[in-house]
Amino acid sequence: MENHQKYMDLAIDLAKRGRGQVNPNPLVGAVIVKDNVIIGSGYHEKFGGLHAERQALAACTQSAAGATLYVTLEPCCHHGKTPPCTEAIIDNRISRVVIGSSDPNPLVSGKGIEILRQQGITVITGVRETTCQEMNAVFFHYIKNRTPYVLMKYAMTLDGKIATRTGKSKWITGEEARAVVHQTRNEYTGIMVGVNTILKDDPQLTCRIDSGRNPSRIICDTHLRTPLSSRVVAAARKIPTYLATSSRDQKKIKRFEIMGCKILEVPPAGDHLNLQELMVQLGQEGIDSILLEGGGALNFSALKSDIVNKLQVYLAPKIFGGAAAKTPVEGSGVGLPSEAFQFTDRKIKIFGEDICLEYVKR
């Protein structure tokens, strides 16, 4: 008896190996099965490289004629950096294609499936569809909206504090949880903080794992208060660094540009930047995803501006106490419980003594 879900799960596991390497392309895995034996498998390894289907075909130990291809995303049917995967499937005489999710890209959506069916290939869709779509939430959002997918992340104590009353925050969580955060930095193309984080912590905002990819740094700095001596500015020629500002002080702007920073002129929205407009500009820069590691003020602005797509809360078994100790979301807050920002689809992960609560925007 055939087990479509088993082979699709293998393709999903393969696809995840491309995390941090394929943006703004999707994560895709493929498995080729003939006479109940896997004869080839592959995944999209890096942006500009072969797609998963072609990787799997290249790895085949025997002819793929008459075989079944399991692929997590609808095969492409247009010329991009590589030729259409539909052509390779047809040329190799695959007889059946089992697809996890259709592709939201207008260049592909439904067209790849139709081309295969026109060639007499049996196509089965929707196998592990939800899992395949969740895996590519960033790609799906970016291809539809042309703005970055935003993950708000913060670590807090059991009493909801992100720093002590003296402003100290290193470290709230343990090493295992912090290592996972650096994996997330590797996967997302941008990391965003407010200028107060730069002034207080002078962070590098880099990915500190072996062979990791540093995300582009985005500083929300309404009045250009970022010090020229800060570590993000000092490394701006090596790591793309954006200063989003409403300042029109050309002398200041020129100094940052000389250091290698890119200035994004963003209109204000009340007492902060218009974050919706900033997302549009960052999308135009090719940034498909942002890890938001802001303080309380930026986090509230992001929620109020409705740019947050996903929430990760790392909860440490500690209590700081103190009315003056910082909390993860500040600003003016909401007036009524019914006005709360709502999240859903809870997932719970455990890293050492810490817990990670994960939700998506309702």
Side-chain angles (χ1 to χ4, degrees), residues 10-11 14 17 29-32 38-43 45 52-61 69:
L10 292 174
L14 284 168
R17 296 184 186 179
V31 174
I32 300 173
I38 296 174
I39 63 170
S41 63
Y43 66 99
E45 296 180 5
E53 299 94 323
R54 290 181 177 272
Q55 290 276 23
L57 286 165
C60 277
T61 56
L69 166 68

Side-chain angles (χ1 to χ4, degrees), residues 204-223:
Q204 297 182 72
L205 304 178
T206 54
C207 172
R208 293 188 284 280
I209 60 173
D210 291 340
S211 303
R213 179 188 64 173
N214 289 319
S216 297
R217 288 91 59 90
I218 303 135
I219 317 302
C220 293
D221 186 357
T222 307
H223 305 294

Side-chain angles (χ1 to χ4, degrees), residues 72 90 135 252 262 316:
T72 56
I90 294 165
M135 177 175 66
K252 275 188 179 181
K262 180 158 186 176

Side-chain angles (χ1 to χ4, degrees), residues 145-194:
N145 302 285
R146 309 311 299 181
T147 57
Y149 183 92
V150 178
L151 166 61
M152 177 190 288
K153 186 279 300 181
Y154 54 82
M156 69 179 189
T157 60
L158 293 176
D159 55 337
K161 307 297 185 182
I162 61 171
T164 66
R165 61 180 174 79
T166 61
K168 304 298 182 183
S169 60
K170 295 182 179 180
W171 295 103
I172 292 176
T173 54
E175 289 185 8
E176 191 173 339
R178 297 201 301 274
V180 172
V181 171
H182 282 281
Q183 290 285 354
T184 306
R185 288 186 180 186
N186 178 58
E187 293 172 21
Y188 278 61
T189 55
I191 183 170
M192 188 164 80
V193 300

Side-chain angles (χ1 to χ4, degrees), residues 57-354:
L57 286 165
C60 277
T61 56
Q62 59 177 281
S63 170
T68 297
L69 166 68
Y70 292 86
V71 62
T72 56
L73 191 69
E74 178 181 2
C76 66
C77 56
H78 65 289
H79 284 269
K81 288 187 174 293
T82 58
C85 289
T86 50
E87 287 185 3
I89 293 168
I90 294 165
D91 290 345
N92 283 271
R93 295 182 291 153
I94 294 284
S95 64
R96 183 171 58 177
V97 178
V98 181
I99 297 171
S101 172
S102 59
D103 192 329
N105 187 340
L107 295 172
V108 180
S109 187
K111 298 172 187 174
I113 293 171
E114 183 60 27
I115 287 171
L116 295 175
R117 284 178 171 158
Q118 286 175 355
Q119 294 296 316
I121 296 171
T122 300
V123 179
I124 299 171
T125 61
V127 177
R128 292 285 196 231
E129 183 174 36
T130 299
T131 303
C132 290
Q133 290 177 345
E134 287 178 351
M135 177 175 66
N136 275 314
V138 166
F139 172 74
F140 277 47
H141 175 88
Y142 185 66
I143 205 74
K144 291 177 182 177
N145 302 285
R146 309 311 299 181
T147 57
Y149 183 92
V150 178
L151 166 61
M152 177 190 288
K153 186 279 300 181
Y154 54 82
M156 69 179 189
T157 60
L158 293 176
D159 55 337
K161 307 297 185 182
I162 61 171
T164 66
R165 61 180 174 79
T166 61
K168 304 298 182 183
S169 60
K170 295 182 179 180
W171 295 103
I172 292 176
T173 54
E175 289 185 8
E176 191 173 339
R178 297 201 301 274
V180 172
V181 171
H182 282 281
Q183 290 285 354
T184 306
R185 288 186 180 186
N186 178 58
E187 293 172 21
Y188 278 61
T189 55
I191 183 170
M192 188 164 80
V193 300
V195 65
N196 287 332
T197 296
I198 302 298
L199 293 170
K200 181 171 70 74
D201 298 333
D202 192 21
Q204 297 182 72
L205 304 178
T206 54
C207 172
R208 293 188 284 280
I209 60 173
D210 291 340
S211 303
R213 179 188 64 173
N214 289 319
S216 297
R217 288 91 59 90
I218 303 135
I219 317 302
C220 293
D221 186 357
T222 307
H223 305 294
L224 273 186
R225 295 187 293 138
T226 297
L228 286 169
S229 60
S230 63
R231 293 198 285 183
V232 288
V233 173
R237 294 196 179 282
K238 295 180 180 179
I239 306 170
T241 302
Y242 296 86
L243 293 180
T245 185
S246 296
S247 173
R248 296 296 181 266
D249 188 328
Q250 294 304 313
K251 287 185 178 180
K252 275 188 179 181
I253 288 173
K254 188 64 176 177
R255 292 191 192 105
F256 285 111
E257 289 177 337
I258 289 171
M259 295 291 289
C261 298
K262 180 158 186 176
I263 303 296
L264 298 178
E265 295 185 0
V266 182
D271 59 354
H272 61 82
L273 297 173
N274 184 325
L275 295 180
Q276 289 276 0
E277 170 60 24
L278 175 57
M279 293 303 105
V280 171
Q281 291 192 36
L282 291 172
Q284 292 170 347
E285 292 289 319
I287 295 176
D288 68 347
S289 51
I290 290 174
L291 176 60
L292 175 59
E293 293 196 3
L298 180 57
N299 284 347
F300 180 70
S301 296
L303 289 166
K304 189 177 179 181
S305 300
D306 196 27
I307 66 166
V308 177
N309 301 105
K310 189 174 181 179
L311 181 66
Q312 278 184 349
V313 179
Y314 287 86
L315 188 62
K318 302 173 182 178
I319 291 178
F320 285 170
K326 293 288 186 179
T327 57
V329 182
E330 297 176 349
S332 58
V334 300
L336 298 169
S338 60
E339 297 171 346
F341 305 104
Q342 298 285 331
F343 292 83
T344 187
D345 294 339
R346 180 196 69 242
K347 289 184 175 62
I348 299 174
K349 302 173 184 177
I350 297 175
F351 303 107
E353 293 294 312
D354 304 316

